[in-house]
């Protein structure tokens, strides 16, 4: 099997023609994980016996003519999404021995289509971070340069796909956690419109921002995965009851569509790395031959980090109150109830999680609520209105995904603000609830991946994918990390 040139769709046609069995596929990928994962450490959990059992069931469904759209395709899942009967740790000590009692809606849907779960991927603890260094268990390493971070918080998923330890993955994106690691690892990663994909069975970080989305090796595979996971779910009260198009059919039918593309001045000025700037300029030049390019303003961009770091910790402090040492996971030895709460939380949570809980609790406390949380909510509305105004003039927005290529391990761990700033281009999109994708568009002189971000109006995820598909076809990049 040529792992360098494989995609979900190409492997699916091999399976369909019975040139290879699901069991053989599973064995190839397990062998590959055994070989590659010790170097990059993308996984927190791989259960070989379970993988082979899933593969046998998939082979049976092929034989019986009941194969789903992903029958026999190996994928991975970020460790904050529940798969019944298997661990979900959120890379936290406090959930180290937690076994999921039910399936997330996205998992039910993937199971229905026959996907094979290779395992659960590493992440920053409770998805708080941008480098996967905040995992309580171990960091994950960037396959393009093992001394660099893969991004985060879905770093394990991005690395797994980039190194072909599975051909797709699901992550979660609260402030950039799918797009930023996708950019750092040279793969496609998409945050769908808020409400398009059910959050039922996703461990909550900041409920008004969290969204599950796919990682894949190309845009067609991304569209296929989105087809499966998108759509109304009555078990998530923020799920949108709307008609969902077939994304794969849509992008294929609209590859010729011309767009008016907006370039936000605020995203291209100041601190953007010169190599990132240069690579993006080439993309823009190529696009300008066909599309109309227009400069736009998103004037409240500069407030987005400050706004996010009130809203997200406030919601997190409330969501994480449930980890009290009694209902879930880790319980410390203690004398009496209050001591039990204190010790379980002190020992169970890592430093960044505690920092967020304290920030959030402070921002929500009586007397400070108006000054912080209420104010942040108002600024959030202004940020959303910036985008609404822009989308009256343009169809889509093109921007960098991250201000720099992947940074060194340890480079930003001492200075949380520096770490927070690496999400400056992704956070506004979550605050506004919009769809956005990161696709690989080049390599720096040091051969580190650079991503471009496409942002669309709410519930126009198909347009975001269509422009991504066109860029992919224009650039014809095939990115395989040197570790392969
Ligand atoms: N890096 C951001 C944070 O630390 C975003 C994380 C995410 O999207 N889950 O909160």
């Amino acid at each position: 099997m040529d792992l360098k040139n494989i995609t979900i769709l190409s492997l699916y046609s091999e399976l369909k023609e019975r040139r290879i069995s699901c069991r053989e596929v599973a064995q190839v990928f397990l062998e590959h994980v055994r070989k590659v994962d010790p170097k990059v450490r993308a996984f927190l959990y791989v259960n070989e016996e379970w993988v082979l059992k899933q593969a046998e069931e998939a082979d049976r469904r092929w034989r019986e003519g009941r194969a789903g759209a992903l029958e026999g395709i190996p994928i991975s899942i970020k460790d904050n999404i529940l798969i019944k009967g298997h661990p979900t740790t959120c890379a936290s000590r406090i959930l180290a021995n937690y076994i999921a009692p039910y399936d997330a809606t996205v998992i039910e849907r993937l199971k229905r289509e026959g996907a094979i779960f290779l395992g659960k991927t590493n992440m920053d603890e409770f998805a708080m971070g941008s480098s996967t260094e905040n995992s309580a268990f171990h960091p994950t390493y960037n396959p393009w340069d093992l001394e660099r971070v893969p991004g985060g918080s879905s770093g394990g998923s991005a690395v797994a796909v980039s190194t072909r330890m599975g051909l797709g993955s699901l992550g979660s994106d609260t402030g950039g956690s799918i797009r930023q690691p996708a950019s750092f690892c040279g793969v496609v990663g998409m945050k769908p419109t808020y409400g398009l994909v059910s959050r039922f069975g996703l461990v909550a970080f900041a409920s008004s921002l969290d969204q599950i989305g796919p990682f894949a090796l190309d845009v067609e595979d991304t569209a296929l995965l989105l087809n499966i996971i998108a759509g109304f779910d009555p078990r998530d009260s923020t799920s949108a009851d709307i008609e969902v198009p077939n994304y794969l059919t849509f992008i294929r039918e609209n590859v010729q569509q011309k767009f008016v593309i907006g370039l936000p001045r605020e995203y291209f000025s100041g601190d953007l790395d010169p190599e990132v700037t240069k690579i993006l300029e080439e993309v823009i030049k190529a696009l300008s031959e066909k599309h109309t390019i227009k400069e736009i303003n998103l004037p409240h961009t500069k407030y987005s980090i400050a706004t996010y770091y009130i809203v997200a910790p406030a919601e997190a402090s409330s969501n994480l109150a449930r980890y009290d040492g009694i209902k879930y996971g880790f319980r410390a030895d203690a004398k009496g109830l209050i001591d039990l709460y204190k010790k379980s939380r002190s020992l169970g949570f890592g430093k960044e999680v505690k920092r967020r809980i304290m920030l959030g609790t402070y921002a929500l406390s009586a007397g400070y609520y108006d000054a912080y949380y209420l104010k942040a909510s108002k600024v959030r509305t202004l940020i959303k209105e910036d985008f609404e105004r822009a989308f009256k003039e343009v169809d889509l927005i093109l921007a960098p995904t991250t201000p720099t290529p992947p940074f060194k391990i340890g480079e930003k761990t001492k200075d949380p603000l520096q770490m927070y700033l690496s999400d400056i281009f992704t956070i506004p999109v979550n605050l506004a609830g919009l769809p956005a994708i990161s696709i690989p568009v080049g390599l720096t002189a040091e051969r580190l991946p650079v991503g471009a971000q496409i942002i669309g109006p709410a519930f126009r995820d198909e347009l975001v994918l269509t422009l991504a598909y066109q860029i992919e076809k224009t650039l014809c990049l095939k990115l395989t990390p040197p570790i392969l």
Side-chain angles (χ1 to χ4, degrees):
M1 207 183 299
D2 174 14
L3 287 179
K4 284 192 182 163
N5 290 305
I6 199 166
T7 62
I8 294 177
L9 286 169
S10 73
L11 178 60
Y12 190 81
S13 51
E14 299 278 299
L15 286 163
K16 193 172 177 181
E17 282 157 35
R18 313 310 312 268
R19 275 200 282 253
I20 190 163
S21 72
C22 302
R23 199 188 155 83
E24 286 164 326
V25 168
Q27 277 162 338
V28 169
F29 278 89
L30 285 175
E31 172 76 43
H32 188 59
V33 170
R34 260 181 252 130
K35 203 175 94 204
V36 175
D37 199 48
K39 297 180 195 148
V40 292
R41 308 211 66 189
F43 283 93
L44 288 174
Y45 174 77
V46 177
N47 179 333
E48 299 206 356
E49 206 182 307
W50 175 42
V51 173
L52 293 173
K53 192 163 152 263
Q54 295 174 77
E56 273 158 28
E57 284 162 15
D59 276 326
R60 202 186 61 233
R61 282 190 296 265
W62 274 115
R63 279 196 303 275
E64 293 169 358
R66 299 191 290 122
L70 292 176
E71 201 68 58
I73 303 290
I75 62 166
S76 63
I77 302 290
K78 186 178 183 177
D79 207 21
N80 60 353
I81 299 174
L82 272 49
I83 307 181
K84 187 177 176 179
H86 297 276
T88 296
T89 69
C90 293
S92 180
R93 239 183 287 285
I94 213 155
L95 287 176
N97 52 17
Y98 179 69
I99 304 291
Y102 60 91
D103 279 331
T105 297
V106 292
I107 298 299
E108 274 182 2
R109 292 185 181 196
L110 288 167
K111 281 185 174 172
R112 213 181 292 147
E113 299 301 336
I116 293 190
F117 303 110
L118 278 180
K120 305 295 293 286
T121 55
N122 199 17
M123 55 187 280
D124 287 296
E125 184 176 1
F126 283 101
M128 297 174 190
S130 311
S131 67
T132 314
E133 290 164 294
N134 293 341
S135 166
F137 305 118
H138 53 76
T140 294
Y141 303 92
N142 191 312
W144 290 88
D145 175 351
L146 296 173
E147 285 176 11
R148 290 178 192 268
V149 303
S153 63
S154 318
S157 288
V159 171
V161 173
S162 157
T163 56
R164 279 61 161 173
M165 295 191 289
L167 300 179
S169 191
L170 293 189
S172 65
D173 191 313
T174 305
S177 279
I178 293 174
R179 290 159 288 157
Q180 187 254 22
S183 174
F184 278 11
C185 295
V187 297
V188 181
M190 178 161 185
K191 183 202 95 75
T193 302
Y194 185 80
L196 185 69
V197 176
S198 169
R199 291 182 297 111
F200 180 78
L202 167 70
V203 177
F205 161 13
S207 312
S208 77
L209 302 160
D210 298 342
Q211 191 63 186
I212 295 174
F215 285 92
L217 288 161
D218 67 16
V219 178
E220 287 199 346
D221 282 1
T222 307
L224 173 66
L225 290 173
L226 189 61
N227 273 349
I228 292 164
I229 62 173
F232 179 62
D233 177 13
R235 292 178 296 186
D236 170 0
S237 63
T238 59
S239 169
D241 194 356
I242 51 150
E243 188 123 7
V244 174
N246 182 321
Y247 296 103
L248 187 55
T249 313
F250 189 95
I251 63 172
R252 285 176 175 162
E253 283 172 358
N254 291 279
V255 312
Q256 296 306 340
Q257 195 174 341
K258 291 189 168 72
F259 295 111
V260 182
I261 301 169
L263 306 177
R265 286 193 184 88
E266 294 78 4
Y267 287 56
F268 285 92
S269 61
D271 301 328
L272 193 58
D273 176 271
E275 282 195 279
V276 175
T277 310
K278 201 173 135 248
I279 291 170
L280 271 139
E281 277 169 357
E282 281 160 23
V283 174
I284 294 162
K285 201 168 140 230
L287 286 174
S288 66
E289 284 169 21
K290 173 167 168 193
H291 306 279
T292 309
I293 310 284
K294 211 167 162 178
E295 285 197 15
I296 56 165
N297 289 317
L298 297 170
H300 296 92
T301 302
K302 56 179 178 287
Y303 304 118
S304 55
I305 298 272
T307 306
Y308 174 87
Y309 279 97
I310 297 293
V311 174
E315 294 183 17
S317 72
S318 164
N319 276 325
L320 271 57
R322 72 190 70 173
Y323 306 105
D324 56 5
I326 295 185
K327 298 189 203 71
Y328 304 92
F330 175 75
R331 180 179 302 170
D333 282 333
K335 301 187 251 353
L337 187 63
I338 301 297
D339 194 41
L340 175 79
Y341 288 160
K342 277 192 184 161
K343 279 207 182 121
S344 302
R345 287 171 69 85
S346 303
L347 297 171
F349 289 134
K351 213 163 121 192
E352 183 61 27
V353 175
K354 286 183 203 161
R355 180 183 292 128
R356 307 266 181 125
I357 291 173
M358 285 191 278
L359 276 172
T361 306
Y362 184 82
L364 288 176
S365 55
Y368 293 107
Y369 180 90
D370 288 1
Y372 293 105
Y373 188 76
L374 196 65
K375 183 84 157 275
S377 305
K378 288 179 180 166
V379 181
R380 182 178 185 174
T381 303
L382 296 175
I383 291 167
K384 192 164 172 240
E385 286 170 356
D386 277 358
F387 282 106
E388 283 164 4
R389 224 172 294 117
F391 286 126
K392 290 201 175 112
E393 285 181 60
V394 300
D395 301 313
L396 291 162
I397 292 171
L398 182 80
T401 309
T402 62
T404 65
F407 46 88
K408 288 255 166 76
I409 290 175
E411 193 180 319
K412 296 185 200 273
T413 41
K414 300 234 155 44
D415 184 350
L417 195 59
Q418 277 310 310
M419 189 71 89
Y420 297 172
L421 284 168
S422 63
D423 297 315
I424 181 127
F425 302 140
T426 48
I427 276 176
V429 173
N430 299 74
L431 289 168
L434 304 176
I437 198 168
S438 178
I439 54 161
V441 288
L443 292 177
T444 65
E446 283 181 279
R447 297 192 65 75
L448 298 171
V450 171
Q453 181 177 211
I454 301 159
I455 307 167
F459 298 107
R460 301 311 307 274
D461 301 63
E462 65 279 11
L463 297 184
V464 169
L465 283 160
T466 303
L467 182 59
Y469 193 44
Q470 294 188 7
I471 295 177
E472 182 182 80
K473 286 198 172 304
T474 312
L475 299 180
C476 288
L477 275 183
K478 261 262 164 292
L479 291 188
T480 22
I483 201 172
L484 290 186

